[in-house]
Amino acid sequence: MDIFKLITPISYWVLATLWVVIIGVYLLKLRQLRAEGAVSRTVTVLLIILAIDAFRTIVESVYFGLYFNSLYGLIPKSIADLLSQPALLIIPKLINIFAGVLVILLLIKRWVPRDIHERKEALLALHAAKSASVNNENLFNSIFNGVTDACIFADSNRNIVSINQGFELMMGYGIDELEGKTASIIYESDEEYERQGRIHFNLAAKEKVTPYEANYRHKDGSIIVGETSRIVIRTLDDQILGYVGFIRDVTDRKKATTALQESTAMLSHHVQNTPLGCISWDSNLNCIEWNKSAEKIFGYSPDEVIGHALLEILVSEEIRDDINNIGKILFKGNKCTRSSNENITKDGRTIICEWYSTPIVGVNGEVIGVTSLILDITESKQAELKLKHAASVFTHTNQGITITDTSGVIIEVNDAFSAITGYARDEVIGQNPRVLQSGRHSPEFYREMWATLQADGHWTGEIWNKRKNDEIYPEMLTISAVLDATGKVQNYVALFNDITAIKEHQEQLERIAHYDTLTNLPNRTLLADRLTQSMVQVRRRKSSLAVVFLDLDKFKDVNDAYGHDVGDKLLIVISRRLKEALRDIDTLARIGGDEFVAVLMDIEKGEDCEPVLERLLEAASGSVTVEGIMLKVSASMGVAIYPQDGIDADQLLRHADQAMYVAKHEGKNCYHLFDTAQNIAMQIRHDDLQSMRKALDQSEFVLYYQPKVNMRTGAIIGAEALIRWLSPERGLVGPNEFLPAIENHVISIEVGEWVIDTALGQIAAWQELGLDIPVSVNVSALQLQHDGFVTCLAALLEAHPEVAPSSLEIEVLETSLIDDVMQVSATMLACIELGVTFALDDFGTGYSSLTYLRRLPASLIKIDQTFVLDMLTTPDDLAIVEGVVSLAKSFKHKVIAEGVETIAHGTTLLQTGCELAQGYGIARPMMAKDIPEWSVNWKPDDAWREFSPHV
């Protein structure tokens, strides 16, 4: 076959396929080519291939004469013959095929492996992302609920999506109360919500912000200050998806910080502005406080001395050991000291200072530091040598200066003297300083001052003087003798500062520490001190004292109705009246809220304080008008006598407090003397209640069941649930040994609910065994009259849907004290609507049997076992049993007898018409697991079967 004819069709198919592949790959990879900037290069390659193909087409056209016949004569014959050779035509075809195949191979090499590799990498990345997502979600949930701070997640509209457990504990809300609601519900106010929204929750909000404080409102209405950190969650396109908030409760810290800042600022203001240098130093003699006056005296700024040893800064090396010894004496002796010594200033000067040092005592009584008031007395010490300089100091100093002659006559005063005392210079020149005496000091005080001045040449101390306007004020005074060259006294110079501000601040601090700010009565701290001192006095006198713990009745109602301002004013009036009702030797203190404590001195026996107690009751119960509102409260008081009712102050207060609560329970507006025997009984009851609480919490109670039967037919009509206490220490304890301890206490309601719940569960368990045994449970009057009894019963029945409500019978003790029969009747009717039935237990033993029978909707009457046990020997008891059976039939009630212990008991009951019974003669109370076996073996006595039913 001609090779040319073979290659020509093959080349056409190859070229057609080549172009289809190239165009297809180009279109598929167009986006990638654009991303890589390779579009222009790809087009160039295609144009080259197109040119090769065009060249081939021209050659073939020349050969076949298809398109270039008209040009045939223009081409040289040698060239035309050469181009017409078939062998030459194979060359461009092969070139064309080779180029196409090469391009396809390059495309396959470039993209096919790359696509496969990229796909593998994408699959691996996707798997890793899924694993990371699950791990991150688990980690997030663990962290979210594990942190103690409150965490909250809200969507972009600030609607709450989720909260953690820390948030529930802090704010009191559960997730079901907040989910889907706007976050404004947790803020103190709508204004606070809007304000935080403008600052931290908007499109321009940063991803994270510095923690800020916001005010929130607890579920109970209280305000919580929360330190909040907020994170913005955004989508990939930077849209806000939601917010995550972390809130830390800093309410107490905020209050404490504010109070501390205010107190510190006030104290710092006084200390910094006192004219005396004030320096505090610790037990290592390192400076811890340095006021402006100290800076003025010594030249050092606070930053230069605080934290440094004062000896190294202010004292020369020669006398450091002496000053160090004085410091040790201060810390050991706990006494104020006054000393004069040389000090070194920052600029190297030696000055003489008067140091008045007071120990700082810690809570345990140990000296933890010293505060010193410093007066620079250099000028007075060197007055005789620096008279010219003293004249300038004399005129411009802020200290009052008085100069006298040797006989004490004033010869000169400065302007500060006039500013402090109010006397002009001309008014005191020629006078004796006695014109300033306040009368507070004895003549002996002035004699000692003069003797010290004569002996030492100077005197320094605090003194109370009187201004011209008769105002008495304290001053720090230094008197120095000025000697001439021969050592003879020439003059006396007195320098003084008005320390009224310091004294007032000290008194204010003492009053804050020891007095109630509202009533100005001693507070708990001062009461403890005075009570301790009073106990020492009466012990020395072999006398007694009474501690009266007084609590106002219904004071909370006043606060709730009229606000705390009115309540505070009421407290002020009552505290004044109570104070007036006491004797001068007695003490009255307010220890908090509406609680007061009075200490009555010189009491021989309890009766001696009764007149004072009556006056206190009258003072507290009198009407008070506050802001036009007539208010009336009363007081309950407890009294403890020392030493018979307590050996220390704390025990006396506790006993008086306990007695006060007894007075509360006795009807209020009265007092009660502490009774030791009653206290022991209360403690025993408290211990019993604690044991019952522990038994309930640790599931130590169990139920036994006593079957109830029809003696004639042998049918098992039910079982009575009887509680027992399986004590780890005492073993199985009967109900009569522990139920009286919780009678009329709220814990009895919880025990009753446990009994009902357990009985319902047991009914269900028996039903699974094919036993349909109704159960009756005993309910106390307290539980029956509780407001939530019907609701609780409905909830317990709903928790056991497999048990028919009719399988539960509630037994009400006829001997229980039911305050409101009509209300109990309504409660029973509501329970009957739920499907349960009622029985009247111990019928005939109470005082209102017929009333209960007529008014209470019970369907069954239980004859008390005391009548059943003795009816065989006592005709009266038999008559009562017959009467109860007759009454039951008259009222169309069923009747059951308890206490059937013998066949004879059952026979007699059947003769009276009572077929239903329970007792030891039928079965003893047994554990639930024994009931199925007993029910299989139970058969009534043949003597009982012979009786015909009563009509």
Side-chain angles (χ1 to χ4, degrees), residues 423-480:
Y423 288 99
R425 178 179 179 279
D426 296 339
E427 292 178 301
V428 294
I429 297 299
Q431 299 289 330
N432 190 282
R434 285 191 294 270
V435 298
L436 301 175
Q437 289 183 4
S438 64
R440 286 197 176 187
H441 302 290
S442 65
E444 182 65 21
F445 172 82
Y446 292 103
R447 282 195 293 270
E448 291 180 0
M449 176 196 294
W450 185 254
T452 301
L453 183 60
Q454 293 279 358
D456 301 337
H458 63 87
W459 180 90
T460 299
E462 287 186 11
I463 190 171
W464 290 87
N465 274 342
K466 183 171 64 176
R467 308 186 205 274
K468 182 180 179 180
N469 61 4
D470 292 333
E471 178 187 351
I472 297 175
Y473 69 98
E475 68 180 29
M476 178 64 71
L477 173 65
T478 297
I479 304 175
S480 300

Side-chain angles (χ1 to χ4, degrees), residues 591-792:
I591 62 174
D594 57 352
E595 294 179 335
F596 298 83
V597 171
V599 180
L600 310 183
M601 294 291 293
D602 296 336
I603 301 298
E604 296 299 329
K605 53 185 181 299
E607 293 79 2
D608 294 344
C609 62
E610 290 183 358
V612 179
L613 297 176
E614 293 293 343
R615 291 199 300 271
L616 289 174
L617 286 176
E618 183 179 354
S621 61
S623 60
V624 178
T625 302
V626 176
E627 297 181 0
I629 304 170
M630 180 71 73
L631 303 173
K632 188 173 180 63
V633 295
S634 60
S636 297
M637 300 188 300
V639 185
I641 307 297
Y642 175 80
Q644 67 190 53
D645 293 336
I647 60 174
D648 57 44
D650 289 339
Q651 190 177 45
L652 276 175
L653 287 171
R654 286 198 307 272
H655 288 171
D657 188 18
Q658 293 173 13
M660 182 272 293
Y661 277 104
V662 175
K664 287 274 189 188
H665 290 302
E666 290 178 350
K668 304 178 182 179
N669 194 24
C670 62
Y671 60 85
H672 181 82
L673 297 178
F674 177 77
D675 188 328
T676 303
Q678 185 182 50
N679 180 61
I680 294 174
M682 291 175 62
Q683 185 61 46
I684 292 174
R685 174 171 168 78
H686 175 74
D687 294 342
D688 289 342
L689 289 174
Q690 289 294 101
S691 296
M692 293 300 97
R693 166 57 63 189
K694 174 177 172 289
L696 184 61
D697 292 342
Q698 297 186 5
S699 302
E700 295 176 2
F701 290 125
V702 294
L703 288 184
Y704 275 52
Y705 297 88
Q706 185 174 39
K708 298 187 292 186
V709 301
N710 186 309
M711 294 182 292
R712 185 180 60 81
T713 65
I716 302 173
I717 64 170
E720 181 179 2
L722 302 171
I723 192 169
R724 301 288 186 270
W725 175 23
L726 189 58
S727 171
E729 296 82 15
R730 299 167 58 186
L732 191 64
V733 182
N736 292 336
E737 296 185 47
F738 64 87
L739 286 182
I742 63 174
E743 186 176 2
N744 295 325
H745 192 276
V746 67
I747 195 175
S748 66
I749 297 177
E750 298 181 49
V751 173
E753 292 173 357
W754 175 87
V755 170
I756 295 174
D757 185 48
T758 304
L760 289 171
Q762 187 56 55
I763 294 172
W766 284 335
Q767 287 177 353
E768 291 181 359
L769 299 176
L771 294 176
D772 185 11
I773 302 178
V775 174
S776 60
V777 296
N778 292 284
V779 172
S780 66
L782 180 65
Q783 183 178 2
L784 187 61
Q785 296 176 96
H786 186 254
D787 291 339
F789 178 73
V790 178
T791 303
C792 178

Side-chain angles (χ1 to χ4, degrees), residues 25-41:
V25 172
Y26 177 79
L27 293 176
L28 289 174
K29 297 297 182 177
L30 182 58
R31 178 177 294 180
Q32 185 175 347
L33 291 171
R34 288 176 177 172
E36 298 176 354
V39 175
S40 59
R41 295 198 301 272

Side-chain angles (χ1 to χ4, degrees), residues 292-554:
K292 295 178 181 177
S293 296
E295 180 178 355
K296 182 178 180 181
I297 293 172
F298 299 103
Y300 292 98
S301 67
D303 293 337
E304 294 175 300
V305 293
I306 290 179
H308 298 281
L310 291 176
L311 289 178
E312 297 177 2
I313 297 176
L314 303 180
V315 181
S316 63
E317 292 184 4
E318 293 79 8
I319 62 172
R320 283 180 185 174
D321 290 338
D322 295 334
I323 302 302
N324 189 39
N325 291 332
I326 294 175
K328 291 180 179 179
I329 292 173
L330 274 171
F331 282 94
K332 290 182 179 180
N334 192 12
K335 294 182 179 179
C336 300
T337 63
R338 175 175 57 84
S339 62
S340 298
N341 54 268
E342 292 183 349
N343 297 116
I344 308 300
T345 64
K346 181 179 180 179
D347 57 8
R349 293 182 298 107
T350 299
I351 62 174
I352 302 174
C353 293
E354 191 76 23
W355 291 69
Y356 189 83
S357 301
T358 304
I360 302 172
V361 182
V363 294
N364 297 322
E366 78 281 12
V367 178
I368 60 175
V370 174
T371 295
S372 298
L373 296 177
I374 302 100
L375 180 64
D376 183 1
I377 59 172
T378 304
E379 291 81 1
S380 61
K381 284 288 185 180
Q382 300 175 348
E384 68 276 16
L385 301 176
K386 300 180 180 179
L387 291 178
K388 293 182 180 180
H389 299 293
S392 176
V393 174
F394 181 85
T395 302
H396 299 97
T397 184
N398 56 6
Q399 294 177 306
I401 300 177
T402 306
I403 302 176
T404 71
D405 59 18
T406 55
S407 62
V409 176
I410 298 174
I411 61 175
E412 190 60 81
V413 296
N414 68 347
D415 294 341
F417 172 95
S418 299
I420 294 172
T421 65
Y423 288 99
R425 178 179 179 279
D426 296 339
E427 292 178 301
V428 294
I429 297 299
Q431 299 289 330
N432 190 282
R434 285 191 294 270
V435 298
L436 301 175
Q437 289 183 4
S438 64
R440 286 197 176 187
H441 302 290
S442 65
E444 182 65 21
F445 172 82
Y446 292 103
R447 282 195 293 270
E448 291 180 0
M449 176 196 294
W450 185 254
T452 301
L453 183 60
Q454 293 279 358
D456 301 337
H458 63 87
W459 180 90
T460 299
E462 287 186 11
I463 190 171
W464 290 87
N465 274 342
K466 183 171 64 176
R467 308 186 205 274
K468 182 180 179 180
N469 61 4
D470 292 333
E471 178 187 351
I472 297 175
Y473 69 98
E475 68 180 29
M476 178 64 71
L477 173 65
T478 297
I479 304 175
S480 300
V482 180
L483 306 178
D484 60 13
T486 63
K488 183 179 179 180
V489 176
Q490 184 178 13
N491 298 99
Y492 292 102
V493 178
L495 291 87
F496 62 92
N497 287 285
D498 184 351
I499 59 172
T500 301
I502 296 176
K503 283 291 185 182
E504 288 177 348
H505 182 59
Q506 291 176 346
E507 292 175 359
Q508 182 181 12
L509 291 178
E510 183 177 354
R511 175 158 289 277
I512 290 173
H514 295 95
Y515 287 87
D516 175 49
T517 56
L518 179 65
T519 63
N520 287 324
L521 293 175
N523 60 13
R524 187 183 293 271
T525 302
L526 185 55
L527 170 67
D529 180 67
R530 289 190 179 180
L531 179 55
T532 302
Q533 293 180 13
S534 299
M535 292 167 64
V536 173
Q537 292 178 16
V538 299
R539 189 163 56 245
R540 188 184 304 119
R541 299 174 189 169
K542 297 182 179 180
S543 180
S544 300
L545 62 80
V547 174
V548 183
F549 199 110
L550 184 150
D551 183 87
L552 297 180
D553 305 321
K554 299 180 180 180

Side-chain angles (χ1 to χ4, degrees), residues 712 910-911 913 915 943-951:
R712 185 180 60 81
L910 288 169
Q911 291 173 349
E915 298 180 353
W944 295 351
R945 293 175 179 269
E946 297 176 356
F947 282 89
S948 300
H950 281 66
V951 180

Side-chain angles (χ1 to χ4, degrees), residues 790-833:
V790 178
T791 303
C792 178
L793 179 61
L796 291 172
L797 290 171
E798 186 177 352
H800 299 275
E802 70 279 11
V803 178
S806 59
S807 296
L808 179 68
E809 182 180 66
I810 297 176
E811 296 187 7
V812 181
L813 289 176
E814 193 268 336
T815 53
S816 299
L817 180 60
I818 297 178
D819 299 326
D820 189 344
V821 176
M822 298 304 295
Q823 185 261 334
V824 169
S825 177
T827 299
M828 291 173 64
L829 289 172
C831 294
I832 291 172
E833 289 183 4

